[in-house]
Amino acid sequence: MNEECFALFKKMSEYIDGELDSDIVLFAEKHLEGCVACGDNLDFMKKSIQIIKKSFSYDIPDSIRLKLRDIINEELEKIMNEGGKK
Amino acid sequence: MMKKENNHDSQLVSRFKEGDISAFNKLAVLYENRIYGFLVKMCDCSEGAKDVLQNTFLTVFRSLGKFRGDSSFKTWIYKVAATSCLKEKRKKAPAYELSIEEFLPSEASSDDKSKNTWLRTPVEELLNNELKSSMKKSLDKLPKKYKMVLVLRDLEGLSTDEVSTSLEISVASVKSRLHRARLFMRRELEAYHKERGDL
């Protein structure tokens, strides 16, 4: 890995997220045209991010949702009984 | 979409401040699933997440009258949840620094042509319960300060600026920690596939 490769490696996430300044994007794209290793590295990173994003999903169980509602309603009642809003 | 969401939240916050305390229930409905999901990822168990979830919503409810709107409600509630989570001492989380250099591709990795097969396979075909379980274990190994940024940015969908505001760290820190976190997870993914003989 040479200096240019390392420079791109450090900025890879920002490149993928579209958060780099245009001159750095130009540098990155010019480098990628000629560097297969960096191209593969980038593809691997993009793939990994997609998998990370799709690997986790949770739905709040009804029991926890109902308990939360009870707690909020208790707080609301306290305020109503105190006769004013917070 | 984000602007519409923020406007709707702002209206509910305004109504709450004007005396419609039931507006808080609507905010709770909008955010309970998201915050729960965030906390389960951070706490790695539903029991820990349940306690922090309740603390989060109680804190938000009790403080909402003083919320000035300097940030969006979404950013603020995630900030409260993140703060509560960082205080949670249920589980001892790993704490060490990640360096960019430790994730540099090795020569062997670069020469591995069979990786191309895995890279060409659509994500939907790769994702199975085994991989998801492995990803969850890997996430739990990630030091908390990196995990928090990865979860907020990549899993909860907050922008870099929103993560910066929620965690009260600089944008540069968000980007740096996110990159290291992604590299860590990528290395875990590579190890998973190598173990299965996919690479």
Side-chain angles (χ1 to χ4, degrees):
Chain A
M1 182 177 271
N2 63 32
E3 268 182 39
E4 276 196 8
C5 295
F6 185 57
L8 178 57
F9 184 78
K10 285 192 291 186
K11 294 288 181 184
M12 212 186 329
S13 281
E14 290 177 73
Y15 176 76
I16 291 170
D17 293 340
E19 291 179 338
L20 288 177
D21 292 338
S22 53
D23 54 341
I24 305 179
V25 170
L26 278 172
F27 155 78
E29 288 179 347
K30 192 175 171 196
H31 178 80
L32 286 164
E33 276 173 19
C35 184
V36 174
C38 281
D40 285 350
N41 211 6
L42 183 68
D43 286 342
F44 187 23
M45 187 67 152
K46 284 180 182 174
K47 195 67 172 266
S48 302
I49 293 169
Q50 285 175 358
I51 289 174
I52 291 166
K53 287 183 177 181
K54 294 190 177 192
S55 292
F56 304 86
S57 66
Y58 299 94
D59 285 321
I60 186 169
D62 285 341
S63 58
I64 293 179
R65 177 185 284 113
L66 289 170
K67 179 68 184 168
L68 182 64
R69 298 283 168 80
D70 285 345
I71 286 171
I72 291 172
N73 284 334
E74 277 172 25
E75 288 292 305
L76 288 173
E77 274 180 32
K78 271 186 209 169
I79 290 174
M80 307 263 278
N81 292 337
E82 283 165 14
K85 77 169 176 80
K86 262 197 178 298
Chain B
M1 171 78 170
M2 203 189 298
K3 202 173 174 186
K4 195 176 171 186
E5 177 185 63
N6 287 343
N7 283 344
H8 187 231
D9 292 350
S10 296
Q11 284 168 12
L12 288 170
V13 171
S14 295
R15 278 173 46 190
F16 177 85
K17 288 184 174 184
E18 286 162 9
D20 179 8
I21 54 177
S22 70
F24 185 81
N25 274 328
K26 294 191 171 69
L27 282 166
V29 167
L30 287 172
Y31 282 94
E32 61 194 5
N33 205 47
R34 288 174 80 163
I35 300 298
Y36 175 74
F38 165 66
L39 292 172
V40 171
K41 287 160 205 156
M42 288 307 302
C43 302
D44 189 43
C45 69
S46 64
E47 198 55 36
K50 181 188 86 178
D51 292 340
V52 182
L53 180 75
Q54 289 169 5
N55 287 340
T56 297
F57 275 90
L58 280 174
T59 301
V60 168
F61 180 79
R62 290 168 183 160
S63 312
L64 192 53
K66 290 177 278 184
F67 174 62
R68 291 189 309 227
D70 295 341
S71 64
S72 67
F73 177 80
K74 180 176 91 173
T75 306
W76 183 57
I77 193 170
Y78 271 106
K79 179 177 176 177
V80 174
T83 305
S84 298
C85 191
L86 286 169
K87 287 181 188 167
E88 176 70 12
K89 291 196 186 344
R90 186 178 295 269
K91 211 169 165 176
K92 190 167 167 58
Y96 52 89
E97 295 295 316
L98 299 177
S99 72
I100 286 280
E101 285 77 8
E102 70 184 88
F103 299 112
L104 288 171
S106 63
E107 289 296 329
S109 173
S110 304
D111 291 339
D112 192 343
K113 303 294 180 212
S114 60
K115 191 189 285 185
N116 288 336
T117 307
W118 179 77
L119 284 175
R120 283 201 301 269
T121 307
V123 170
E124 288 66 31
E125 283 181 33
L126 291 171
L127 274 175
N128 54 33
N129 287 337
E130 194 190 333
L131 175 57
K132 287 181 185 178
S133 174
S134 176
M135 286 279 96
K136 283 169 190 162
K137 286 180 186 157
S138 296
L139 186 65
D140 206 35
K141 288 195 274 183
L142 192 57
K144 210 162 199 175
K145 72 178 201 179
Y146 302 101
K147 183 177 177 181
M148 186 73 80
V149 172
L150 182 79
V151 170
L152 285 172
R153 187 80 176 85
D154 281 349
L155 304 183
E156 298 302 310
L158 271 65
S159 69
T160 300
D161 284 340
E162 287 174 330
V163 175
S164 168
T165 303
S166 288
L167 299 183
E168 294 182 318
I169 59 176
S170 67
V171 165
S173 291
V174 172
K175 291 180 181 182
S176 170
R177 291 183 196 182
L178 177 66
H179 189 42
R180 284 159 172 77
R182 284 174 171 175
L183 287 169
F184 178 95
M185 296 297 285
R186 187 181 83 158
R187 186 176 65 188
E188 292 283 306
L189 199 50
E190 190 172 21
Y192 167 81
H193 281 287
K194 267 193 178 144
E195 205 179 288
R196 292 178 74 250
D198 295 339
L199 289 182

